[in-house]
């Protein structure tokens, strides 16, 4: 299967001189399209920093990052429009769903293709397709406040997928969920990764879901170590 995302030797240093913090000292990982990989590590090990670099939210200090065949970062950004990069190539899933309270479920998802320039009709049709795939199609006209926590998280997953990004970054997506719901979310992510050929990286502390990853990266003091389970 084609490669979704690959990083080599990413270094991130905050500040400089005596007060410099070496948050990433050489992080490397690759996640294929269709694969869901875990990223674990103790507090302060560099997980958030790595996720922000992968999401082009902060700039690494050095290293390389590639999405598919496209070089994104090579000791400097290789794409001019980072907003378009985040919108078109990367989907984000957070611990909380962060739905927009005054838009209905459909428009919470459809807003992303709209922002990418698609028509409202086309955008809503794509949103509906994903809501169906995630088993919340029957809630399409509801407002977010009318949904259960689990339904809201499925809408957030639909939103992350709707622009068909090759990469999805999920930051503690199961933290507020009980064991059964947490496993259900991971099951859905695995299904969606295969169906939409997306590479999914899940940052987690959640002991319940860690055994479900076939591959995971453990980060220690800013260095990634690959583990095969
Ligand atoms: P984790 O997510 O694994 O807890 P972080 O990536 O948040 O780890 O932090 C890694 C290291 O970088 C820590 O020592 C943290 O204090 C430091 N750090 C994180 N963000 C900043 C920042 N904006 N400025 C300076 N140091 C930071």
């Amino acid at each position: 299967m084609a490669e979704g995302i690959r990083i080599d030797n990413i270094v991130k240093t905050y500040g400089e001189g005596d007060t410099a913090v070496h948050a990433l000292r050489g992080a490397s990982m690759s996640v294929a399209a269709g694969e869901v990989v875990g990223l674990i590590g103790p507090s302060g090990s560099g997980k958030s920093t790595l996720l922000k670099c992968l999401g082009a939210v902060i700039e690494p200090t050095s290293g390389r990052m590639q999405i598919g065949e496209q070089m994104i970062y090579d000791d400097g950004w290789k794409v001019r429009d980072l907003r378009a990069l985040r919108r078109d190539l990367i989907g984000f899933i957070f611990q909380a769903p962060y739905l927009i309270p005054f838009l209905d479920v459909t428009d919470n998802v459809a807003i992303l293709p709209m922002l990418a320039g698609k028509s409202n009709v086309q955008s809503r049709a794509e949103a509906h397709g994903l809501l169906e795939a995630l088993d919340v199609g029957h809630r399409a006209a509801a407002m977010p406040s009318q949904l259960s926590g689990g339904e809201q998280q499925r809408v957030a997953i639909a939103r992350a997928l709707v622009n068909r990004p090759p990469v999805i970054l999920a930051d503690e997506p199961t933290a507020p969920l009980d064991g059964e719901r947490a496993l259900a979310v991971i099951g859905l992510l695995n299904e969606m990764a295969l169906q939409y050929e997306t590479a999914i990286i899940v940052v987690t502390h959640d002991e319940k879901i860690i055994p479900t990853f076939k591959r995971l990266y453990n980060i220690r003091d800013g260095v990634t170590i690959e583990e095969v389970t």
Side-chain angles (χ1 to χ4, degrees):
M1 213 173 254
E3 190 160 75
I5 185 166
R6 177 192 176 93
I7 58 168
D8 289 297
N9 217 11
I10 291 284
V11 170
K12 175 65 185 179
T13 307
Y14 292 107
E16 44 190 70
D18 289 349
T19 57
V21 177
H22 301 283
L24 296 176
R25 298 167 188 268
S28 301
M29 66 194 295
S30 71
V31 185
E35 197 181 21
V36 181
V37 159
L39 177 62
I40 62 171
S43 180
S45 58
K47 298 182 301 297
S48 308
T49 300
L50 181 54
L51 205 63
K52 286 180 199 155
C53 290
L54 290 164
V57 176
I58 60 172
E59 183 169 359
T61 303
S62 63
R64 282 149 73 92
M65 173 159 103
Q66 228 174 305
I67 295 180
E69 295 299 305
Q70 191 181 353
M71 187 61 75
I72 304 297
Y73 181 89
D74 188 359
D75 292 339
W77 294 117
K78 295 291 152 192
V79 285
R80 226 176 299 150
D81 188 346
L82 292 177
R83 274 180 65 199
L85 165 77
R86 288 191 290 265
R87 185 190 64 211
D88 299 335
L89 299 188
I90 303 164
F92 295 90
I93 299 171
F94 308 98
Q95 183 171 337
Y98 296 119
L99 302 180
I100 301 171
F102 51 84
L103 296 180
D104 69 15
V105 163
T106 301
D107 280 349
N108 261 281
V109 178
I111 191 166
L112 285 179
M114 286 178 194
L115 286 172
K118 291 194 177 161
S119 73
N120 291 2
V121 171
Q122 172 78 14
S123 298
R124 292 203 173 102
E126 290 179 7
H128 273 285
L130 269 163
L131 291 167
E132 291 290 343
L134 285 155
D135 238 2
V136 276
H138 60 296
R139 306 299 272 140
M143 299 306 281
S145 62
Q146 298 172 309
L147 303 187
S148 71
E151 287 172 334
Q152 290 186 20
Q153 192 60 318
R154 280 183 275 159
V155 176
I157 295 172
R159 181 183 55 195
L161 284 161
V162 69
N163 280 345
R164 303 284 193 270
V167 179
I168 288 185
L169 304 176
D171 190 5
E172 302 275 2
T174 62
L177 305 176
D178 63 31
E180 202 175 315
R181 290 212 187 100
L183 290 173
V185 165
I186 295 301
L188 274 176
L189 291 179
N190 276 296
E191 255 176 60
M192 295 294 130
L194 284 174
Q195 191 171 336
Y196 297 103
E197 299 191 343
T198 296
I200 302 185
I201 298 172
V202 180
V203 172
T204 191
H205 284 106
D206 191 341
E207 297 293 340
K208 304 183 291 290
I209 65 168
I210 290 171
T212 68
F213 298 112
K214 289 197 196 81
R215 255 183 354 110
L216 51 84
Y217 289 88
N218 201 332
I219 178 162
R220 297 277 156 157
D221 291 330
V223 178
T224 42
I225 301 154
E226 185 180 349
E227 293 179 11
V228 178
T229 56

